[in-house]
Amino acid sequence: MNAIEVNALSKSYGRVKALDEVTFAVDQGEVFGLIGPDGAGKTTVFRTLCTLLLPDKGTATVEGFDVVTQMKEIRRRVGYMPGRFSLYQDLTVRENLEFFATLFGTTVDEGYDSIRAIYSQIERFANRKAGALSGGMKQKLALSCALVHQPSVLFLDEPTTGVDPVSRKEFWQMLASLKERGLTIVASTPYLDEVRQCERVVFLSDGRVQGIGTPGVILDRFASVFCPPPIEKKQEKQEAPAPQAPSENVIEVEHLVKAFGNFHAVDDISFSVKRGEIFGFLGANGAGKTTAMHMLTGLNQPTEGTGRVCGFDIRTQHEQIKKHIGYMSQRFSLYEDLTVAENIRLFAGIYGMGDEEIRAKTDELLERLHFEQHRNDLVRSLPLGWKQKLAFSVSIFHEPGVVFLDEPTGGVDPATRRQFWELIYEAAARGITVFVTTHYMDEAEYCDRISIMVDGKISAMGTPSELKRQLGQPDMDHVFTYLARQATRSSN
């Protein structure tokens, strides 16, 4: 008997057809991938199979139980990690685990053996609030919560989005151990290395099944979607440019420190970034990247050291800094209850732009993004990739000296990520400095220079070619893994 059977499943949200006669089956004990571009219908499939949504047409069963008429039987047998972490940020690690155990009528003690291998890695932080955990630790806690009632089927909706490459590798090692115990695992992911770890995948696009097969076959057949050609990277600068105004440093940092008690989140870092440069700021979860970025953007004060952004002191002139920078956080920063045009107007007004300029530039932006027909659409109705492109465009609408991008493409499919980086290149060509963090190592290759933080310090800095040559590694993924595995502090 198949663990999961989906037959002609359809689901609509008003005029939008999220699923259109989707059919596939998953074998017992299989690691099965659900892949496709943003808005393909993947999350709707997950929510239907977990009995959180009712289908309009068609049927689906999980371990022989119908998703409509036998919900209780299914809920006892499945674990689910949704796309956004399902943890309660104000509860501790232990409280989150106890809450999920109670939901399923069990206890942590009863289910401990099923989560021991995973939970034991974070158990020493049992009294820490979930909101204070790094991405890798949240991931382990969320997986423990999904497994505490000992399910036989595990649904994972992009579980590693926003998690560094080393933690992602560890996560999939944990999934391999769960497969050995006989669990059926259905996972969606935008990372191609994770897609390749599935035994079979189904490719969804526009709510329809486009193909089912091994990862190699599907990725090759739909290479234009999953493996678009790389962007032609600007030639790395081998020599220092001649002194001229466009080459001035937009960011200058010397011996910057941020301490929380005895813990140094940022521990004596120094670097500079030139005008128009694309500067990659990399590091594992908990390495100190976001804390450093918060100091540079005026959201936090340093404990020690100095820094200047666009000529303004980060200690005393943070209000001036905010007027001369753009910022896009990893947690989508636009207002979902406002339309596309209303969001543009709101942020342009905050940046101090006049009405006539806002009107002219809004029309120009919508045309460039091919959003003319979506001017009055609520932002919440847009696919994730569209939201990300809009958020970036709004963050540089006022032509700032530098834009800070904190993991801007997390969870976005490869083709859309490529389009996003084309926007970054256009901005850099106009003289806007781009300061970007990312967990996609193919994106690291697109940067002019890269720094990699380990344990609050900058462990390496240089062009991608320089770092690969200096460390004797074949690509940036191996460079990152080599350095990140040298971390000693336990906050990751």
Side-chain angles (χ1 to χ4, degrees), residues 230-490:
I231 299 173
E232 186 176 340
K233 187 179 183 296
K234 294 184 294 184
Q235 185 175 0
E236 291 178 356
K237 305 172 183 63
Q238 301 299 327
E239 300 180 1
Q244 54 182 332
S247 296
E248 69 186 46
N249 292 331
V250 176
I251 299 173
E252 295 178 328
V253 170
E254 293 185 4
H255 304 295
L256 204 62
V257 174
K258 181 61 180 181
F260 298 95
N262 294 324
F263 177 72
H264 284 198
V266 174
D267 191 6
D268 192 7
I269 63 173
S270 300
F271 64 91
S272 61
V273 183
K274 295 181 175 62
R275 184 176 305 280
E277 186 174 21
I278 301 175
F279 187 79
F281 200 57
L282 309 186
N285 295 112
K289 307 184 304 299
T290 299
T291 301
M293 189 179 290
H294 283 174
M295 287 188 282
L296 295 178
T297 55
L299 298 175
N300 215 329
Q301 288 289 296
T303 305
E304 299 175 23
T306 62
R308 299 186 74 83
V309 176
C310 296
F312 300 103
D313 190 296
I314 62 173
R315 285 182 176 274
T316 61
Q317 297 176 294
H318 37 85
E319 290 304 319
Q320 285 296 320
I321 288 174
K322 291 175 185 177
K323 295 178 183 178
H324 289 82
I325 65 171
Y327 180 71
M328 180 179 166
S329 74
Q330 57 188 329
R331 294 178 177 86
F332 180 64
S333 52
L334 299 182
Y335 289 90
E336 303 228 327
D337 290 334
L338 298 180
T339 66
V340 169
E342 288 169 342
N343 266 281
I344 296 172
R345 170 169 289 279
L346 171 65
F347 284 94
I350 292 173
Y351 293 137
M353 298 175 65
D355 289 346
E356 187 173 336
E357 184 182 11
I358 292 174
R359 278 194 295 271
K361 291 198 68 175
T362 296
D363 291 340
E364 175 189 320
L365 173 61
L366 294 177
E367 182 179 355
R368 188 166 71 248
L369 294 179
H370 305 293
F371 276 20
E372 300 100 321
Q373 302 302 314
H374 302 281
R375 170 189 291 267
N376 297 316
D377 290 359
L378 291 177
V379 163
R380 72 150 64 94
S381 70
L382 302 178
L384 175 61
W386 290 25
K387 291 179 183 179
Q388 300 292 64
K389 288 189 285 188
L390 178 63
F392 173 69
S393 299
V394 168
S395 72
I396 61 170
F397 196 70
H398 58 307
E399 296 292 321
V402 56
V403 59
F404 291 89
L405 307 176
D406 193 359
E407 295 177 29
T409 56
V412 179
D413 65 83
T416 304
R417 288 199 294 113
R418 187 187 190 282
Q419 295 169 11
F420 189 94
W421 272 84
E422 287 173 345
L423 295 178
I424 288 179
Y425 269 47
E426 290 173 7
R430 300 202 306 270
I432 297 175
T433 300
V434 180
F435 189 99
V436 58
T437 71
T438 179
H439 287 319
Y440 291 99
M441 291 302 102
D442 60 326
E443 294 184 351
E445 300 276 3
Y446 293 151
C447 298
D448 295 320
R449 281 192 305 139
I450 294 166
S451 78
I452 300 179
M453 288 190 72
V454 177
D455 289 346
K457 299 178 180 291
I458 293 179
S459 182
M461 185 182 301
T463 68
S465 294
E466 288 170 348
L467 294 179
K468 287 181 284 188
R469 184 172 61 253
Q470 291 168 7
L471 298 174
Q473 302 296 328
D475 53 41
M476 284 307 303
D477 183 70
H478 283 79
V479 167
F480 183 95
T481 301
Y482 173 79
L483 293 172
R485 290 198 185 281
Q486 298 176 16
T488 58
R489 69 190 190 190
S490 58

